[in-house]
Amino acid sequence: MAKLSSNDNPEQGVVVRDLQLAFGDTVVQKDLNFTVAPASVFVIMGVSGCGKSTLLRHMIDLARADQGEILFDGQRLTSDDPRARAALQRRIGVLFQSTALWSSMTVGENVALPLQLHTAMRPAEIRDQVAFKLSLVGLAGQEQRMPSELSGGMQKRAGLARAIALDPDYLFLDEPSAGLDPITSQRLDALILRLRDALKLSVIAVTHELPSIFSIADDSIYLDNQSKTAIAHGDPHELVRNGPDRVQAFLKREPIEADADA
């Protein structure tokens, strides 16, 4: 899939404007404004229950916001044109926290499924693409194994291979390191950076794992569960020194005081 050049649209990357997330009368987050630069890693961080995964669900069109808009290279994901919306959705890859691999399918069949559903590739072409994507994530030759036969780290890699099967421009990761030991998590972080560089991906990751935040993030926002909005935006290496008190406490693994300055 061809990438947009910098001259194709003045609003490159993912732009979130005046977004409000709510369940009925309960506001989860409000007044969210940020931009994800092309070919970068953007981390959504915050304490448990602040709305990180809820924001991700809205960004991948699994939920609709009460207010605001989300643009991908200037195009709204919630387009009224079903064909335009479907085309944009195919530019988005997602790795869910549980990987969401089909347990009744082999690894190869899991990776092949998006290609079978959304392309006109012939079986031989799909097999070649599956082998290529598995090699990119370090699982070359694992097509015939079942997900249950893989370690946790290998399952995450298989999920990543499926997420990039359609050569997306945007890759969303929901707690990618959840359940992994520190060494496996570190290797996954390195893989995410390699995929960003090799495929020129814009990566949006939800995580509260500090080693991952400091390892992969080019930019970030901190969703505050008290003020119900983002109280910091920037490189975590800068925020840990100069960010609001609650953000510094989070990034230093210190107790977060309810009355700390926002």
Side-chain angles (χ1 to χ4, degrees), residues 64-133:
R64 294 294 179 90
D66 284 357
Q67 299 176 23
E69 62 182 357
I70 303 168
L71 301 145
F72 291 79
D73 295 329
Q75 181 180 352
R76 289 179 179 85
L77 185 57
T78 55
S79 170
D80 292 331
D81 183 343
R83 288 181 295 181
R85 183 180 176 191
L88 181 53
Q89 287 174 329
R90 287 195 291 273
R91 297 175 62 199
I92 296 172
V94 183
L95 173 64
F96 294 99
Q97 183 174 342
S98 63
T99 72
L101 294 169
W102 293 98
S103 60
S104 60
M105 293 180 174
T106 66
V107 170
E109 289 169 342
N110 267 281
V111 179
L113 187 60
L115 298 167
Q116 294 167 343
L117 294 175
H118 299 294
T119 76
M121 287 184 180
R122 293 171 295 187
E125 294 174 315
I126 290 177
R127 286 195 297 271
D128 288 344
Q129 279 298 305
V130 168
F132 175 59
K133 294 302 164 44

Short mmCIF file of all heavy atoms in Angstrom, two decimals, residues 64-133:
data_model
loop_
_atom_site.label_atom_id
_atom_site.label_comp_id
_atom_site.label_asym_id
_atom_site.label_seq_id
_atom_site.Cartn_x
_atom_site.Cartn_y
_atom_site.Cartn_z
N ARG A 64 -17.63 5.63 19.33
CA ARG A 64 -17.82 6.98 18.80
C ARG A 64 -17.80 8.00 19.93
O ARG A 64 -18.44 7.80 20.96
CB ARG A 64 -19.14 7.08 18.03
CG ARG A 64 -19.19 6.24 16.76
CD ARG A 64 -18.20 6.76 15.72
NE ARG A 64 -18.22 5.97 14.52
CZ ARG A 64 -19.01 6.20 13.48
NH1 ARG A 64 -19.86 7.21 13.51
NH2 ARG A 64 -18.95 5.44 12.41
N ALA A 65 -17.08 9.08 19.70
CA ALA A 65 -16.95 10.12 20.72
C ALA A 65 -18.19 11.01 20.74
O ALA A 65 -18.86 11.21 19.72
CB ALA A 65 -15.71 10.97 20.45
N ASP A 66 -18.48 11.57 21.92
CA ASP A 66 -19.58 12.52 22.07
C ASP A 66 -19.27 13.83 21.33
O ASP A 66 -20.14 14.43 20.71
CB ASP A 66 -19.80 12.84 23.54
CG ASP A 66 -20.53 11.73 24.27
OD1 ASP A 66 -20.90 10.75 23.61
OD2 ASP A 66 -20.73 11.85 25.48
N GLN A 67 -18.01 14.25 21.42
CA GLN A 67 -17.61 15.52 20.81
C GLN A 67 -16.22 15.36 20.22
O GLN A 67 -15.44 14.52 20.64
CB GLN A 67 -17.58 16.64 21.86
CG GLN A 67 -18.91 16.93 22.52
CD GLN A 67 -18.79 17.99 23.61
OE1 GLN A 67 -17.87 18.80 23.61
NE2 GLN A 67 -19.73 17.98 24.54
N GLY A 68 -15.91 16.22 19.25
CA GLY A 68 -14.58 16.25 18.68
C GLY A 68 -14.43 15.37 17.46
O GLY A 68 -15.39 14.75 16.99
N GLU A 69 -13.21 15.32 16.94
CA GLU A 69 -12.96 14.55 15.73
C GLU A 69 -11.54 13.96 15.75
O GLU A 69 -10.65 14.44 16.46
CB GLU A 69 -13.14 15.42 14.49
CG GLU A 69 -12.20 16.61 14.40
CD GLU A 69 -12.45 17.47 13.18
OE1 GLU A 69 -13.33 17.11 12.37
OE2 GLU A 69 -11.77 18.49 13.02
N ILE A 70 -11.37 12.90 14.96
CA ILE A 70 -10.08 12.23 14.79
C ILE A 70 -9.82 12.16 13.30
O ILE A 70 -10.65 11.66 12.54
CB ILE A 70 -10.10 10.82 15.40
CG1 ILE A 70 -10.46 10.88 16.88
CG2 ILE A 70 -8.74 10.15 15.22
CD1 ILE A 70 -10.77 9.53 17.50
N LEU A 71 -8.67 12.69 12.87
CA LEU A 71 -8.33 12.74 11.45
C LEU A 71 -7.05 11.95 11.18
O LEU A 71 -6.09 12.04 11.95
CB LEU A 71 -8.12 14.19 11.02
CG LEU A 71 -9.31 15.12 11.22
CD1 LEU A 71 -8.85 16.51 11.60
CD2 LEU A 71 -10.17 15.16 9.98
N PHE A 72 -7.06 11.21 10.11
CA PHE A 72 -5.89 10.47 9.65
C PHE A 72 -5.47 11.09 8.32
O PHE A 72 -6.16 10.94 7.32
CB PHE A 72 -6.21 8.99 9.47
CG PHE A 72 -6.47 8.26 10.76
CD1 PHE A 72 -7.68 8.37 11.40
CD2 PHE A 72 -5.48 7.46 11.33
CE1 PHE A 72 -7.93 7.70 12.59
CE2 PHE A 72 -5.71 6.79 12.52
CZ PHE A 72 -6.94 6.92 13.15
N ASP A 73 -4.34 11.82 8.33
CA ASP A 73 -3.90 12.56 7.14
C ASP A 73 -5.04 13.42 6.58
O ASP A 73 -5.26 13.48 5.38
CB ASP A 73 -3.39 11.60 6.06
CG ASP A 73 -2.14 10.85 6.51
OD1 ASP A 73 -1.36 11.42 7.29
OD2 ASP A 73 -1.95 9.71 6.07
N GLY A 74 -5.78 14.06 7.49
CA GLY A 74 -6.84 14.96 7.09
C GLY A 74 -8.17 14.31 6.82
O GLY A 74 -9.15 14.99 6.54
N GLN A 75 -8.25 12.98 6.91
CA GLN A 75 -9.49 12.27 6.62
C GLN A 75 -10.13 11.77 7.90
O GLN A 75 -9.47 11.17 8.75
CB GLN A 75 -9.21 11.07 5.70
CG GLN A 75 -10.45 10.29 5.32
CD GLN A 75 -10.13 9.12 4.41
OE1 GLN A 75 -9.01 8.97 3.93
NE2 GLN A 75 -11.13 8.27 4.18
N ARG A 76 -11.43 11.99 8.06
CA ARG A 76 -12.15 11.53 9.24
C ARG A 76 -12.41 10.03 9.15
O ARG A 76 -12.90 9.54 8.13
CB ARG A 76 -13.48 12.27 9.38
CG ARG A 76 -13.34 13.73 9.77
CD ARG A 76 -14.71 14.40 9.86
NE ARG A 76 -14.58 15.80 10.27
CZ ARG A 76 -14.35 16.79 9.43
NH1 ARG A 76 -14.21 16.53 8.14
NH2 ARG A 76 -14.25 18.04 9.87
N LEU A 77 -12.12 9.35 10.25
CA LEU A 77 -12.39 7.92 10.28
C LEU A 77 -13.89 7.66 10.26
O LEU A 77 -14.34 6.63 9.76
CB LEU A 77 -11.77 7.29 11.54
CG LEU A 77 -11.87 5.77 11.67
CD1 LEU A 77 -11.23 5.08 10.47
CD2 LEU A 77 -11.20 5.31 12.95
N THR A 78 -14.68 8.58 10.78
CA THR A 78 -16.13 8.41 10.84
C THR A 78 -16.80 8.97 9.60
O THR A 78 -17.88 9.56 9.68
CB THR A 78 -16.69 9.10 12.10
OG1 THR A 78 -16.29 10.47 12.10
CG2 THR A 78 -16.18 8.42 13.36
N SER A 79 -16.19 8.77 8.46
CA SER A 79 -16.75 9.26 7.20
C SER A 79 -18.11 8.62 6.93
O SER A 79 -18.34 7.45 7.25
CB SER A 79 -15.79 8.94 6.05
OG SER A 79 -16.39 9.18 4.80
N ASP A 80 -19.01 9.40 6.32
CA ASP A 80 -20.31 8.87 5.94
C ASP A 80 -20.23 7.99 4.69
O ASP A 80 -21.17 7.28 4.37
CB ASP A 80 -21.30 10.02 5.69
CG ASP A 80 -21.64 10.77 6.96
OD1 ASP A 80 -21.60 10.14 8.04
OD2 ASP A 80 -21.92 11.97 6.87
N ASP A 81 -19.11 8.07 3.99
CA ASP A 81 -18.89 7.24 2.80
C ASP A 81 -18.34 5.89 3.25
O ASP A 81 -17.20 5.81 3.70
CB ASP A 81 -17.90 7.93 1.87
CG ASP A 81 -17.68 7.16 0.57
OD1 ASP A 81 -18.02 5.96 0.52
OD2 ASP A 81 -17.15 7.76 -0.38
N PRO A 82 -19.11 4.81 3.16
CA PRO A 82 -18.65 3.52 3.67
C PRO A 82 -17.39 3.01 2.98
O PRO A 82 -16.55 2.36 3.61
CB PRO A 82 -19.84 2.59 3.43
CG PRO A 82 -20.67 3.27 2.39
CD PRO A 82 -20.47 4.73 2.59
N ARG A 83 -17.23 3.31 1.69
CA ARG A 83 -16.03 2.85 0.99
C ARG A 83 -14.79 3.60 1.47
O ARG A 83 -13.73 3.00 1.65
CB ARG A 83 -16.21 3.00 -0.52
CG ARG A 83 -17.18 1.98 -1.12
CD ARG A 83 -17.31 2.13 -2.61
NE ARG A 83 -17.91 3.42 -2.96
CZ ARG A 83 -18.16 3.82 -4.21
NH1 ARG A 83 -17.84 3.02 -5.22
NH2 ARG A 83 -18.70 4.99 -4.44
N ALA A 84 -14.93 4.91 1.66
CA ALA A 84 -13.80 5.69 2.16
C ALA A 84 -13.44 5.26 3.58
O ALA A 84 -12.26 5.16 3.92
CB ALA A 84 -14.15 7.18 2.13
N ARG A 85 -14.46 5.00 4.38
CA ARG A 85 -14.21 4.55 5.75
C ARG A 85 -13.51 3.20 5.78
O ARG A 85 -12.56 2.99 6.53
CB ARG A 85 -15.53 4.49 6.51
CG ARG A 85 -15.41 4.11 7.97
CD ARG A 85 -16.78 4.08 8.61
NE ARG A 85 -16.71 3.62 9.98
CZ ARG A 85 -17.77 3.30 10.71
NH1 ARG A 85 -18.98 3.42 10.18
NH2 ARG A 85 -17.64 2.89 11.95
N ALA A 86 -13.96 2.27 4.94
CA ALA A 86 -13.35 0.95 4.89
C ALA A 86 -11.90 1.03 4.40
O ALA A 86 -11.02 0.32 4.90
CB ALA A 86 -14.16 0.03 3.99
N ALA A 87 -11.66 1.91 3.42
CA ALA A 87 -10.29 2.06 2.91
C ALA A 87 -9.37 2.59 3.99
O ALA A 87 -8.21 2.16 4.10
CB ALA A 87 -10.30 3.00 1.70
N LEU A 88 -9.87 3.54 4.79
CA LEU A 88 -9.05 4.08 5.87
C LEU A 88 -8.83 3.04 6.96
O LEU A 88 -7.73 2.92 7.51
CB LEU A 88 -9.71 5.33 6.45
CG LEU A 88 -8.95 6.04 7.58
CD1 LEU A 88 -7.52 6.35 7.16
CD2 LEU A 88 -9.69 7.32 7.97
N GLN A 89 -9.86 2.26 7.27
CA GLN A 89 -9.71 1.22 8.28
C GLN A 89 -8.64 0.20 7.89
O GLN A 89 -7.94 -0.33 8.75
CB GLN A 89 -11.04 0.50 8.50
CG GLN A 89 -12.06 1.33 9.27
CD GLN A 89 -13.41 0.66 9.36
OE1 GLN A 89 -13.81 -0.09 8.46
NE2 GLN A 89 -14.14 0.93 10.43
N ARG A 90 -8.47 -0.05 6.60
CA ARG A 90 -7.46 -1.00 6.14
C ARG A 90 -6.05 -0.44 6.31
O ARG A 90 -5.08 -1.19 6.23
CB ARG A 90 -7.71 -1.38 4.68
CG ARG A 90 -8.90 -2.31 4.50
CD ARG A 90 -8.91 -2.95 3.13
NE ARG A 90 -9.19 -2.00 2.08
CZ ARG A 90 -10.43 -1.67 1.67
NH1 ARG A 90 -11.48 -2.22 2.25
NH2 ARG A 90 -10.59 -0.81 0.69
N ARG A 91 -5.95 0.86 6.55
CA ARG A 91 -4.63 1.46 6.80
C ARG A 91 -4.25 1.42 8.28
O ARG A 91 -3.22 1.95 8.67
CB ARG A 91 -4.62 2.90 6.29
CG ARG A 91 -4.83 3.04 4.80
CD ARG A 91 -4.93 4.50 4.38
NE ARG A 91 -3.71 5.22 4.67
CZ ARG A 91 -3.63 6.55 4.76
NH1 ARG A 91 -4.72 7.29 4.61
NH2 ARG A 91 -2.48 7.13 5.03
N ILE A 92 -5.11 0.80 9.08
CA ILE A 92 -4.91 0.73 10.53
C ILE A 92 -4.69 -0.72 10.95
O ILE A 92 -5.50 -1.59 10.63
CB ILE A 92 -6.12 1.31 11.28
CG1 ILE A 92 -6.29 2.79 10.96
CG2 ILE A 92 -6.00 1.08 12.78
CD1 ILE A 92 -7.58 3.39 11.50
N GLY A 93 -3.59 -0.98 11.65
CA GLY A 93 -3.34 -2.28 12.24
C GLY A 93 -3.44 -2.18 13.76
O GLY A 93 -3.08 -1.15 14.33
N VAL A 94 -3.91 -3.25 14.39
CA VAL A 94 -4.13 -3.22 15.84
C VAL A 94 -3.59 -4.49 16.48
O VAL A 94 -3.86 -5.61 16.00
CB VAL A 94 -5.63 -3.09 16.19
CG1 VAL A 94 -5.80 -2.97 17.71
CG2 VAL A 94 -6.26 -1.90 15.49
N LEU A 95 -2.81 -4.33 17.55
CA LEU A 95 -2.43 -5.44 18.42
C LEU A 95 -3.16 -5.25 19.74
O LEU A 95 -2.87 -4.31 20.48
CB LEU A 95 -0.92 -5.47 18.66
CG LEU A 95 -0.45 -6.51 19.69
CD1 LEU A 95 -0.74 -7.93 19.21
CD2 LEU A 95 1.03 -6.33 20.00
N PHE A 96 -4.13 -6.11 20.01
CA PHE A 96 -4.88 -6.03 21.25
C PHE A 96 -4.07 -6.62 22.40
O PHE A 96 -3.16 -7.43 22.19
CB PHE A 96 -6.22 -6.74 21.12
CG PHE A 96 -7.15 -6.10 20.14
CD1 PHE A 96 -7.28 -6.59 18.85
CD2 PHE A 96 -7.89 -4.98 20.49
CE1 PHE A 96 -8.13 -5.99 17.93
CE2 PHE A 96 -8.74 -4.36 19.59
CZ PHE A 96 -8.86 -4.87 18.30
N GLN A 97 -4.44 -6.23 23.61
CA GLN A 97 -3.69 -6.68 24.79
C GLN A 97 -3.63 -8.20 24.88
O GLN A 97 -2.60 -8.78 25.22
CB GLN A 97 -4.34 -6.11 26.06
CG GLN A 97 -3.60 -6.47 27.34
CD GLN A 97 -4.18 -5.76 28.56
OE1 GLN A 97 -4.89 -4.77 28.43
NE2 GLN A 97 -3.89 -6.25 29.73
N SER A 98 -4.72 -8.87 24.53
CA SER A 98 -4.77 -10.34 24.59
C SER A 98 -4.31 -11.00 23.30
O SER A 98 -4.40 -12.22 23.17
CB SER A 98 -6.20 -10.78 24.91
OG SER A 98 -7.08 -10.39 23.86
N THR A 99 -3.87 -10.20 22.34
CA THR A 99 -3.46 -10.58 20.98
C THR A 99 -4.66 -10.94 20.10
O THR A 99 -4.64 -10.71 18.90
CB THR A 99 -2.44 -11.74 20.92
OG1 THR A 99 -3.06 -12.97 21.27
CG2 THR A 99 -1.24 -11.47 21.81
N ALA A 100 -5.74 -11.50 20.68
CA ALA A 100 -6.96 -11.83 19.94
C ALA A 100 -6.70 -12.76 18.76
O ALA A 100 -7.39 -12.70 17.75
CB ALA A 100 -7.67 -10.56 19.47
N LEU A 101 -5.69 -13.62 18.88
CA LEU A 101 -5.46 -14.62 17.84
C LEU A 101 -6.56 -15.67 17.88
O LEU A 101 -7.04 -16.05 18.96
CB LEU A 101 -4.10 -15.30 18.05
CG LEU A 101 -2.86 -14.43 17.88
CD1 LEU A 101 -1.62 -15.16 18.38
CD2 LEU A 101 -2.68 -14.01 16.43
N TRP A 102 -6.99 -16.14 16.72
CA TRP A 102 -7.98 -17.20 16.66
C TRP A 102 -7.34 -18.51 17.08
O TRP A 102 -6.42 -19.01 16.42
CB TRP A 102 -8.54 -17.32 15.25
CG TRP A 102 -9.36 -16.13 14.83
CD1 TRP A 102 -8.94 -15.07 14.08
CD2 TRP A 102 -10.73 -15.88 15.16
NE1 TRP A 102 -9.96 -14.17 13.92
CE2 TRP A 102 -11.07 -14.64 14.56
CE3 TRP A 102 -11.70 -16.58 15.88
CZ2 TRP A 102 -12.34 -14.08 14.68
CZ3 TRP A 102 -12.97 -16.03 15.99
CH2 TRP A 102 -13.28 -14.79 15.40
N SER A 103 -7.81 -19.07 18.19
CA SER A 103 -7.17 -20.27 18.76
C SER A 103 -7.34 -21.50 17.88
O SER A 103 -6.54 -22.44 17.97
CB SER A 103 -7.75 -20.56 20.15
OG SER A 103 -9.15 -20.79 20.08
N SER A 104 -8.36 -21.51 17.01
CA SER A 104 -8.59 -22.67 16.14
C SER A 104 -7.82 -22.60 14.83
O SER A 104 -7.88 -23.53 14.03
CB SER A 104 -10.09 -22.78 15.83
OG SER A 104 -10.55 -21.60 15.18
N MET A 105 -7.09 -21.50 14.63
CA MET A 105 -6.32 -21.32 13.40
C MET A 105 -4.83 -21.41 13.70
O MET A 105 -4.38 -21.03 14.80
CB MET A 105 -6.61 -19.96 12.77
CG MET A 105 -8.00 -19.77 12.23
SD MET A 105 -8.16 -18.11 11.50
CE MET A 105 -9.81 -18.22 10.80
N THR A 106 -4.05 -21.84 12.74
CA THR A 106 -2.61 -21.82 12.88
C THR A 106 -2.13 -20.37 12.85
O THR A 106 -2.87 -19.44 12.48
CB THR A 106 -1.92 -22.59 11.75
OG1 THR A 106 -2.16 -21.91 10.51
CG2 THR A 106 -2.43 -24.03 11.67
N VAL A 107 -0.86 -20.18 13.21
CA VAL A 107 -0.27 -18.85 13.13
C VAL A 107 -0.37 -18.30 11.72
O VAL A 107 -0.75 -17.14 11.49
CB VAL A 107 1.19 -18.90 13.61
CG1 VAL A 107 1.90 -17.58 13.30
CG2 VAL A 107 1.25 -19.19 15.11
N GLY A 108 -0.02 -19.14 10.74
CA GLY A 108 -0.09 -18.71 9.35
C GLY A 108 -1.49 -18.33 8.93
O GLY A 108 -1.69 -17.33 8.22
N GLU A 109 -2.48 -19.10 9.35
CA GLU A 109 -3.86 -18.80 9.00
C GLU A 109 -4.33 -17.50 9.64
O GLU A 109 -5.10 -16.74 9.04
CB GLU A 109 -4.76 -19.96 9.42
CG GLU A 109 -4.57 -21.21 8.56
CD GLU A 109 -5.25 -22.44 9.14
OE1 GLU A 109 -5.58 -22.43 10.36
OE2 GLU A 109 -5.45 -23.40 8.38
N ASN A 110 -3.89 -17.22 10.87
CA ASN A 110 -4.23 -15.97 11.54
C ASN A 110 -3.70 -14.78 10.76
O ASN A 110 -4.42 -13.78 10.57
CB ASN A 110 -3.67 -15.95 12.95
CG ASN A 110 -4.64 -16.45 14.00
OD1 ASN A 110 -5.53 -15.74 14.42
ND2 ASN A 110 -4.48 -17.71 14.40
N VAL A 111 -2.46 -14.86 10.31
CA VAL A 111 -1.85 -13.75 9.58
C VAL A 111 -2.46 -13.61 8.19
O VAL A 111 -2.61 -12.50 7.66
CB VAL A 111 -0.32 -13.92 9.50
CG1 VAL A 111 0.32 -12.77 8.72
CG2 VAL A 111 0.28 -14.01 10.90
N ALA A 112 -2.85 -14.74 7.60
CA ALA A 112 -3.42 -14.72 6.25
C ALA A 112 -4.83 -14.14 6.21
O ALA A 112 -5.26 -13.61 5.18
CB ALA A 112 -3.44 -16.14 5.68
N LEU A 113 -5.56 -14.23 7.33
CA LEU A 113 -6.97 -13.86 7.32
C LEU A 113 -7.25 -12.45 6.80
O LEU A 113 -8.14 -12.27 5.94
CB LEU A 113 -7.57 -14.06 8.71
CG LEU A 113 -9.08 -13.87 8.83
CD1 LEU A 113 -9.82 -14.86 7.93
CD2 LEU A 113 -9.53 -14.03 10.28
N PRO A 114 -6.54 -11.41 7.27
CA PRO A 114 -6.82 -10.07 6.72
C PRO A 114 -6.58 -9.98 5.22
O PRO A 114 -7.30 -9.27 4.50
CB PRO A 114 -5.85 -9.16 7.49
CG PRO A 114 -5.50 -9.92 8.72
CD PRO A 114 -5.51 -11.36 8.33
N LEU A 115 -5.59 -10.70 4.73
CA LEU A 115 -5.29 -10.69 3.30
C LEU A 115 -6.39 -11.38 2.51
O LEU A 115 -6.75 -10.95 1.41
CB LEU A 115 -3.94 -11.37 3.05
CG LEU A 115 -2.74 -10.70 3.70
CD1 LEU A 115 -1.52 -11.61 3.65
CD2 LEU A 115 -2.43 -9.38 3.03
N GLN A 116 -6.94 -12.45 3.06
CA GLN A 116 -8.04 -13.16 2.40
C GLN A 116 -9.31 -12.32 2.36
O GLN A 116 -10.06 -12.36 1.39
CB GLN A 116 -8.29 -14.49 3.12
CG GLN A 116 -7.15 -15.49 3.00
CD GLN A 116 -7.30 -16.65 3.97
OE1 GLN A 116 -8.05 -16.57 4.94
NE2 GLN A 116 -6.56 -17.74 3.72
N LEU A 117 -9.54 -11.56 3.45
CA LEU A 117 -10.77 -10.79 3.55
C LEU A 117 -10.73 -9.47 2.78
O LEU A 117 -11.76 -9.01 2.29
CB LEU A 117 -11.08 -10.50 5.02
CG LEU A 117 -11.44 -11.69 5.90
CD1 LEU A 117 -11.60 -11.24 7.35
CD2 LEU A 117 -12.72 -12.37 5.42
N HIS A 118 -9.55 -8.88 2.66
CA HIS A 118 -9.48 -7.50 2.17
C HIS A 118 -8.63 -7.30 0.93
O HIS A 118 -8.43 -6.15 0.51
CB HIS A 118 -8.95 -6.59 3.29
CG HIS A 118 -9.82 -6.58 4.51
ND1 HIS A 118 -11.09 -6.07 4.51
CD2 HIS A 118 -9.59 -7.04 5.77
CE1 HIS A 118 -11.63 -6.19 5.72
NE2 HIS A 118 -10.73 -6.78 6.50
N THR A 119 -8.11 -8.36 0.34
CA THR A 119 -7.33 -8.22 -0.89
C THR A 119 -7.79 -9.26 -1.91
O THR A 119 -8.54 -10.18 -1.58
CB THR A 119 -5.82 -8.40 -0.64
OG1 THR A 119 -5.53 -9.80 -0.48
CG2 THR A 119 -5.35 -7.63 0.58
N ALA A 120 -7.32 -9.09 -3.13
CA ALA A 120 -7.60 -10.05 -4.20
C ALA A 120 -6.38 -10.93 -4.48
O ALA A 120 -6.26 -11.50 -5.56
CB ALA A 120 -8.02 -9.30 -5.46
N MET A 121 -5.49 -11.04 -3.50
CA MET A 121 -4.29 -11.85 -3.68
C MET A 121 -4.64 -13.32 -3.89
O MET A 121 -5.58 -13.84 -3.31
CB MET A 121 -3.37 -11.73 -2.45
CG MET A 121 -2.66 -10.42 -2.32
SD MET A 121 -1.52 -10.47 -0.89
CE MET A 121 -0.83 -8.83 -0.97
N ARG A 122 -3.82 -13.97 -4.71
CA ARG A 122 -3.97 -15.41 -4.91
C ARG A 122 -3.34 -16.15 -3.74
O ARG A 122 -2.50 -15.58 -3.02
CB ARG A 122 -3.31 -15.81 -6.22
CG ARG A 122 -4.02 -15.26 -7.46
CD ARG A 122 -3.23 -15.49 -8.71
NE ARG A 122 -1.97 -14.76 -8.69
CZ ARG A 122 -1.14 -14.69 -9.72
NH1 ARG A 122 -1.43 -15.29 -10.86
NH2 ARG A 122 -0.01 -14.01 -9.63
N PRO A 123 -3.73 -17.40 -3.53
CA PRO A 123 -3.21 -18.16 -2.38
C PRO A 123 -1.69 -18.16 -2.29
O PRO A 123 -1.13 -18.03 -1.20
CB PRO A 123 -3.77 -19.56 -2.61
CG PRO A 123 -5.07 -19.30 -3.33
CD PRO A 123 -4.79 -18.15 -4.23
N ALA A 124 -1.02 -18.30 -3.42
CA ALA A 124 0.45 -18.32 -3.40
C ALA A 124 1.02 -16.98 -2.94
O ALA A 124 2.01 -16.93 -2.20
CB ALA A 124 0.99 -18.69 -4.77
N GLU A 125 0.38 -15.90 -3.38
CA GLU A 125 0.83 -14.56 -2.97
C GLU A 125 0.60 -14.35 -1.48
O GLU A 125 1.46 -13.77 -0.79
CB GLU A 125 0.09 -13.49 -3.77
CG GLU A 125 0.40 -13.48 -5.25
CD GLU A 125 -0.47 -12.51 -6.01
OE1 GLU A 125 -1.69 -12.50 -5.77
OE2 GLU A 125 0.08 -11.75 -6.85
N ILE A 126 -0.52 -14.84 -0.99
CA ILE A 126 -0.81 -14.72 0.44
C ILE A 126 0.21 -15.50 1.25
O ILE A 126 0.71 -15.02 2.27
CB ILE A 126 -2.24 -15.19 0.74
CG1 ILE A 126 -3.25 -14.19 0.16
CG2 ILE A 126 -2.46 -15.35 2.25
CD1 ILE A 126 -4.71 -14.59 0.34
N ARG A 127 0.54 -16.70 0.80
CA ARG A 127 1.55 -17.50 1.53
C ARG A 127 2.88 -16.75 1.58
O ARG A 127 3.56 -16.76 2.62
CB ARG A 127 1.72 -18.86 0.86
CG ARG A 127 0.57 -19.82 1.11
CD ARG A 127 0.96 -21.24 0.73
NE ARG A 127 1.24 -21.37 -0.69
CZ ARG A 127 0.32 -21.65 -1.62
NH1 ARG A 127 -0.94 -21.80 -1.26
NH2 ARG A 127 0.67 -21.77 -2.89
N ASP A 128 3.26 -16.11 0.49
CA ASP A 128 4.52 -15.36 0.47
C ASP A 128 4.46 -14.19 1.44
O ASP A 128 5.43 -13.92 2.16
CB ASP A 128 4.80 -14.84 -0.94
CG ASP A 128 5.22 -15.95 -1.90
OD1 ASP A 128 5.58 -17.05 -1.41
OD2 ASP A 128 5.18 -15.72 -3.13
N GLN A 129 3.32 -13.48 1.46
CA GLN A 129 3.18 -12.35 2.37
C GLN A 129 3.19 -12.79 3.83
O GLN A 129 3.78 -12.14 4.69
CB GLN A 129 1.89 -11.58 2.06
CG GLN A 129 2.00 -10.63 0.90
CD GLN A 129 3.02 -9.53 1.16
OE1 GLN A 129 2.96 -8.82 2.16
NE2 GLN A 129 3.98 -9.40 0.25
N VAL A 130 2.53 -13.91 4.12
CA VAL A 130 2.52 -14.43 5.48
C VAL A 130 3.93 -14.77 5.93
O VAL A 130 4.36 -14.42 7.04
CB VAL A 130 1.60 -15.67 5.58
CG1 VAL A 130 1.81 -16.38 6.92
CG2 VAL A 130 0.14 -15.26 5.42
N ALA A 131 4.68 -15.45 5.06
CA ALA A 131 6.06 -15.81 5.41
C ALA A 131 6.90 -14.56 5.63
O ALA A 131 7.73 -14.51 6.56
CB ALA A 131 6.66 -16.66 4.29
N PHE A 132 6.69 -13.54 4.80
CA PHE A 132 7.46 -12.30 4.92
C PHE A 132 7.14 -11.59 6.23
O PHE A 132 8.05 -11.16 6.96
CB PHE A 132 7.17 -11.39 3.73
CG PHE A 132 7.81 -10.04 3.82
CD1 PHE A 132 9.19 -9.90 3.93
CD2 PHE A 132 7.04 -8.88 3.81
CE1 PHE A 132 9.79 -8.65 4.01
CE2 PHE A 132 7.62 -7.63 3.90
CZ PHE A 132 9.00 -7.52 4.00
N LYS A 133 5.84 -11.46 6.56
CA LYS A 133 5.46 -10.74 7.78
C LYS A 133 5.93 -11.50 9.03
O LYS A 133 6.35 -10.89 10.01
CB LYS A 133 3.93 -10.53 7.81
CG LYS A 133 3.44 -9.60 6.70
CD LYS A 133 4.11 -8.24 6.76
CE LYS A 133 3.97 -7.40 5.51
NZ LYS A 133 2.68 -7.34 4.89
#
